[in-house]
Each structure stands twice: as structure tokens, then as C-alpha cells.
Amino acid sequence: RLTISALLLTPFALSQHRGLLRQLGRRDLPLAAGAGLFLALHFAYWIASLEYTSVLISVVLVSTGPLWVALLEVIFLHARLNRLIVIGLGVAFAGGLGIAAAGSGGAEGSNPALGAVLSLTGAVTFACYLVIGRNLRRKLPLLPYVWLVYTCAAAFLITLVVVTGVPVAGFPAEGYFWVLLMALLPQLVGHTSFNWALRYLS
């Protein structure tokens, strides 16, 4: 998913922003690599959680990312949350608990506790990915920023696949079709919209 997205963005990023990318400061590339690392960890932990718990529980827990973003910004960036944000976070948390409770009667997987921990770790690493990337996103337009981060994340995950020996070939063509759609929609549209918002929203 990330590799496909990065490859699709490469000709546009290099043709339109090559000069800007060459002018990045000493701290900028480590920030991009850090954001990419946490994005890679987000996917690694979250997808691993699906082996142990239900899709419902996994998705509800990994979607608590905004709660962790708020917590990290308060702790490390000394952000002050206004009343509406606190209310919104509370509603989101309560909604997540409600969905999780409603779905707990179904198949929970082979190890629900481990699945929950992995999914929550995916949420925390997602929050780190957004918080780390905030400063760099303020300097860079959207296209070169997401190209850098997605490329770094893809490189980390490819390395992980090679080291662990996880197979990526030999699956039905339908599976690769869905991976392509995930790259085009959830990644290029969904995650890119998060990164667009980093420049304009707390």
C-alpha cells in the first residue's frame, strides 16, 4: 500500500518540487524519516492485531489515534485544549467504548488481549506520526511532504518484510487488486487528508 502510493507520487514530487527537496535542512530529513517510521509501525502493529482480535475491536481501538494526539500535544508541546475539543474527545471515546461493547459478543479472535494491545500501540504510533510531522508539514507543501513520509514508511516496512521473511508473493490476484485500491483511496486520499490538515488544524 505504501510502496504503491510512494511510487505513484514520485514523478510528481520530483518534477514539481526537486529544488525544494534539495534545500531541506539538517533536521528536516530526520523528521520525515521519524514520521515515516511511526507510520510504518502504525501499520505493522495494527495489521498484526487483526490476527488476534476481531476487525471491529481492532478498528475501534486503532481509531483512538486523535485521543493520543491530544495527550501527546499536551505533554510534549504544552498545548491547551479548549472545551469543545475536550467534549469532542469525550464523545469519541464514549462512542468507541459503545461500539466495542456492542461487538464484544461476537468472535473476538484467538488472543483478544494481545490484539487489543497491538491495536492500541498502532493508535499511539499513528499519533506520533502526526505530531512529529507537524513541524515539517508547516515548511513543506503537501505533495513533497507526503512523498517523503510515505517513501520512508515504505522503506521501513520493506526492510521489516525482508528481515522477518513474511511472504508477499503467491496470493490470489484479487488480493493485489484490493491492495491497489487501498493505496489509491485510504492512503492517497485518507492519510493524505490527515497530512493536509496538519498545516491548518490543531
Side-chain angles (χ1 to χ4, degrees):
R1 162 181 176 169
L2 282 163
T3 301
I4 293 170
S5 299
L7 289 174
L8 290 174
L9 292 173
T10 296
F12 303 101
L14 295 183
S15 64
Q16 299 176 25
H17 300 281
R18 187 187 300 269
L20 183 60
L21 290 168
R22 287 176 174 170
Q23 295 172 8
L24 290 175
R26 290 183 179 180
R27 293 183 66 250
D28 295 335
L29 286 178
L31 278 176
L37 173 62
F38 279 104
L39 177 58
L41 292 173
H42 158 70
F43 282 120
Y45 282 114
W46 173 40
I47 298 303
S49 77
L50 296 169
E51 296 286 333
Y52 303 102
T53 191
S54 68
V55 173
L56 176 65
I57 301 301
S58 175
V59 170
V60 166
L61 292 176
V62 82
S63 296
T64 61
L67 303 175
W68 298 104
V69 168
L71 184 61
L72 290 173
E73 289 200 344
V74 168
I75 294 173
F76 295 106
L77 303 180
H78 308 292
R80 304 183 73 176
L81 306 181
N82 65 42
R83 183 179 301 176
L84 283 178
I85 292 177
V86 173
I87 292 172
L89 293 172
V91 170
F93 184 70
L97 289 179
I99 293 171
S104 62
E108 295 184 356
S110 61
N111 192 335
L114 176 58
V117 169
L118 290 169
S119 186
L120 276 174
T121 305
V124 173
T125 50
F126 176 79
C128 293
Y129 145 64
L130 292 180
V131 172
I132 289 174
R134 181 181 301 282
N135 287 335
L136 186 55
R137 175 67 184 98
R138 287 171 179 160
K139 296 180 181 179
L140 284 177
L142 181 61
L143 176 57
Y145 173 75
V146 295
W147 176 75
L148 275 173
V149 174
Y150 295 172
T151 300
C152 290
F156 285 124
L157 285 175
I158 289 171
T159 302
L160 182 62
V161 166
V162 172
V163 170
T164 58
V166 173
V168 294
F171 296 99
E174 181 183 2
Y176 296 106
F177 171 72
W178 289 113
V179 171
L180 175 62
L181 286 186
M182 286 170 61
L184 295 175
L185 295 174
Q187 193 61 47
L188 286 179
V189 176
H191 269 261
T192 301
S193 68
F194 284 124
N195 288 304
W196 172 85
L198 278 182
R199 189 167 186 168
Y200 305 105
L201 301 173
S202 67

